[in-house]
Amino acid sequence: MHVAIIMDGNGRWATRRGLPRVAGHRAGVGTVRRVVERASDLGIGQMTLYAFSSDNWNRPAQEVESIFRLMRAYLRLETERLRQRGVRLQIIGRRDRLPKLLLREIERAEFLTADGECLHLRIAVDYSSREAITRTISTVSQRLLQEPQSSVDSLQNFLNSALSSESEDVDLLIRTGGEKRLSDFLLWESAYAELFFTDRMWPDFDAADLDAAVADFKRRERRFGGSTTNAAHSIAPSAGLSP
Ligand code: FPP
């Protein structure tokens, strides 16, 4: 099961308490610890957390620097614990614009947790789903130049496998903080994701909230475009573009 989370509401959580926004992000790191711990207990195989979108560069430099500092501290302090729990940590997104010290900490954490088999934890940093799709399409167009006879089906399969090699399909997408949008997060991978929105601010989200979201997900009927009746009589073509 792949659970993706848009961790929203840190700033509002802090402002409502008369605290600087960074206090919300700091409290948000505590939630990351709790949720990751719970995820492995629940048997979730893959979890992707949206920590910093490519559009977040538009925030004041001081806030951006604080978020990166918190990430570095998290990686420095948590890596050993993650390794012991069998967590494989991976950062997705652009790396070329990240501060060198953060990058070094990321590479160290990825190396030390590379053998983890219980939970594949991915943290999206400087991430934009549109950018990831555009980059993949550019690879696909190279292929088209080499194989001009490629069919639309084979190109779609190629696009799918190129994107899937970066990311599994999302089963459950959770967004905290009361907003109901995807904000350029795992757009391709969420084609059939079940969406769960909660008003809870990220720093207040806890293990019981994750349990509730997963329980809600398990009650849903996933049809992937089919119907509730048996698909045995389906006349669907074997492959291709369909609505
Ligand atoms: C969204 O809340 C949160 C962020 C953009 C940053 C999230 C960062 C962390 C939780 C800290 C570091 C992460 C890890 C993985 C260690 P917001 O600031 O947009 O809140 P608002 O909508 O209330 O303003």
Side-chain angles (χ1 to χ4, degrees), residues 78-123:
E78 283 302 298
T79 296
E80 179 52 21
R81 197 170 157 73
L82 294 173
R83 197 188 62 76
Q84 284 171 8
R85 292 184 70 92
V87 177
R88 172 156 76 99
L89 182 112
Q90 193 189 2
I91 302 298
I92 59 166
R94 284 182 63 163
R95 296 187 179 210
D96 56 313
R97 301 188 289 193
L98 298 182
K100 290 273 176 299
L101 288 177
L102 175 59
L103 200 55
R104 202 175 303 157
E105 210 63 61
I106 288 172
E107 285 165 358
R108 178 179 162 275
E110 287 180 334
F111 176 74
L112 291 173
T113 62
D115 294 332
E117 286 183 348
C118 294
L119 170 68
H120 184 191
L121 171 66
R122 305 184 323 149
I123 301 182

Side-chain angles (χ1 to χ4, degrees), residues 199-216:
D199 289 336
R200 191 90 76 205
M201 300 293 138
W202 179 248
D204 289 332
F205 192 84
D206 61 18
D209 293 311
L210 182 64
D211 291 354
V214 170
D216 182 87

Side-chain angles (χ1 to χ4, degrees), residues 7-12 21 25 28-29 51 56 59 71 74 123:
M7 312 184 285
D8 196 16
N10 292 349
R12 278 165 290 160
R21 291 176 58 83
H25 297 314
V29 176
N56 286 152
R59 296 187 177 208
M71 283 178 193
Y74 171 82
I123 301 182

Side-chain angles (χ1 to χ4, degrees), residues 6 8 173 175-183 195-199:
I6 301 176
D8 196 16
L173 188 142
R175 182 178 186 133
T176 61
E179 313 284 355
K180 295 184 177 65
R181 54 177 171 261
L182 297 180
S183 301
L195 308 180
F196 184 91
F197 299 105
T198 170
D199 289 336

Side-chain angles (χ1 to χ4, degrees), residues 215-231:
D216 182 87
F217 167 80
K218 287 187 172 161
R219 283 193 296 271
R220 298 191 193 182
E221 188 191 0
R222 305 186 77 196
R223 296 198 295 273
F224 300 96
S227 68
T228 45
T229 52
N230 198 319

Side-chain angles (χ1 to χ4, degrees), residues 120 133 151 194 213:
H120 184 191
I133 292 170
S151 68
E194 297 293 328

Side-chain angles (χ1 to χ4, degrees), residues 155-166:
L155 281 177
Q156 196 194 21
N157 287 339
F158 183 70
L159 183 62
N160 205 5
S161 66
L163 281 163
S164 309
S165 66
E166 294 194 10

